[in-house]
Amino acid sequence: MNFQIIKDNNEVIKGACVEPTDYSVGFKHIRFWPNDVGMWFEYTKPTDMSFWMKDVIIPLEIAFILNNTIIDIKKMTPGSTEIIRPENNIYCTAAL
């Protein structure tokens, strides 16, 4: 399944859904990723999630999604061990 997100500045991000078995890998060790492509992570129910960038070497933004609405976008710093989590439980995240 593919997805498309239109951010507030009308920037369009397209990408593909990630299989649950690949959720823990995400963007680890990827050296280049196009600016207009993302990854979609979908959960079967609202979930309390946390994220960090320990082994990620490219800058990312994570969109937290609930009921088909972006409720927050967080900028992520490569290599950071800071734990980032949404304010509410979420259904999906998109790494942009």
Side-chain angles (χ1 to χ4, degrees):
M1 182 170 91
N2 294 329
F3 74 93
Q4 178 174 309
I5 292 176
I6 301 173
K7 294 171 64 176
D8 286 344
N9 63 358
N10 293 324
E11 178 183 7
V12 176
I13 306 291
K14 296 180 180 181
C17 294
V18 178
E19 293 296 322
T21 54
D22 296 325
Y23 283 4
S24 65
V25 176
F27 282 92
K28 287 181 183 177
H29 309 292
I30 291 176
R31 296 189 178 280
F32 171 79
W33 194 265
N35 288 336
D36 60 347
V37 177
M39 281 188 199
W40 181 271
F41 303 81
E42 188 168 357
Y43 312 100
T44 57
K45 61 182 181 179
T47 305
D48 179 23
M49 299 298 299
S50 60
F51 303 86
W52 70 345
M53 296 280 286
K54 182 177 179 278
D55 296 316
V56 179
I57 56 179
I58 58 174
L60 297 174
E61 293 179 327
I62 294 183
F64 297 110
I65 301 163
L66 182 63
N67 300 325
N68 296 317
T69 301
I70 295 175
I71 58 172
D72 197 6
I73 296 177
K74 301 280 189 188
K75 290 188 182 287
M76 307 291 285
T77 303
S80 174
T81 56
E82 176 186 6
I83 303 296
I84 303 294
R85 56 180 359 122
E87 293 182 20
N88 302 302
N89 290 350
I90 54 172
Y91 275 114
C92 309
T93 58
L96 315 171

